[in-house]
Amino acid sequence: MHFGKQFKEYREEYLRMKQLEAAYELKIDPAALSNYERSERGFPNDLLPIVKETFSIPDDYFLAMILGTPLKAVRDPHISQPVKAAEVQDKYMDSFIDRHRELFEESPELREFVAIISQMTKKDRRNYLNSNKALLSLFLKYVKEQDTE
């Protein structure tokens, strides 16, 4: 039952990732991940290796998460927390890019979209992406409703 809370800590402190992104990466419902992280439901055993691989979790951290050992106890005292977090984030981003490379290769529209938003200021980019995320959420809800009819 410790894994969910430990994963939440790892996701927030090391990956600096929102729960929604993590749920989509795991191909699970965001509400389910929320339940796992709050320990309202146990993390499914068959999902554990997927979590480890998807987020490139080092063995020592993964074992600590399973055993419920505080992640602070795993940290190397010779490596500062920001440095370790940066290493973990870099490893995750590399694996994320590798997993989604085909999508970029197949979609000139997506590449164009990324090129356009890369020219925006950080504030404008955040506002634009949040607006598009809300629109996409409505679209997915509509599609889901159409599929059930």
Side-chain angles (χ1 to χ4, degrees):
M1 288 299 274
H2 304 285
F3 190 85
K5 289 183 181 198
Q6 297 288 79
F7 176 70
K8 179 181 180 180
E9 179 184 343
Y10 187 83
R11 175 182 59 73
E12 291 177 343
E13 290 186 26
Y14 289 85
L15 298 176
R16 306 235 188 273
M17 177 187 294
K18 294 190 180 233
Q19 189 178 64
L20 189 64
E21 179 184 353
Y24 284 133
E25 282 296 304
L26 293 170
K27 297 176 178 61
I28 63 172
D29 186 270
L33 182 57
S34 178
N35 287 333
Y36 301 150
E37 289 185 349
R38 290 192 321 267
S39 294
E40 290 182 9
R41 290 178 57 197
F43 232 96
N45 288 336
D46 60 331
L47 190 57
L48 294 175
I50 296 167
V51 169
K52 183 179 186 326
E53 181 180 334
T54 300
F55 300 110
S56 303
I57 301 174
D59 292 340
D60 52 348
Y61 281 82
F62 190 68
L63 184 58
M65 292 163 73
I66 289 173
L67 297 175
T69 304
L71 296 182
K72 294 178 199 116
V74 181
R75 297 178 185 151
D76 184 339
H78 299 90
I79 301 175
S80 72
Q81 174 60 14
V83 170
K84 182 65 175 177
E87 289 174 4
V88 169
Q89 288 169 352
D90 287 346
K91 190 172 182 182
Y92 166 70
M93 285 309 298
D94 288 345
S95 69
F96 177 89
I97 291 167
D98 286 343
R99 281 193 314 280
H100 299 291
R101 180 177 312 281
E102 187 176 315
L103 188 59
F104 279 92
E105 290 171 350
E106 292 177 356
S107 177
E109 298 86 1
L110 181 58
R111 292 191 307 271
E112 183 179 7
F113 183 79
V114 170
I116 291 168
I117 63 173
S118 71
Q119 300 302 309
M120 296 178 176
T121 65
K122 191 172 186 176
K123 180 181 177 187
D124 288 345
R125 183 170 47 239
R126 176 173 282 127
N127 288 334
Y128 180 75
L129 290 173
N130 281 330
S131 297
N132 276 281
K133 188 170 69 172
L135 191 60
L136 182 59
S137 182
L138 289 173
F139 175 76
L140 292 174
K141 183 178 178 184
Y142 171 77
V143 169
K144 187 175 183 180
E145 288 171 359
Q146 295 302 308
D147 287 344
T148 58
E149 291 180 359

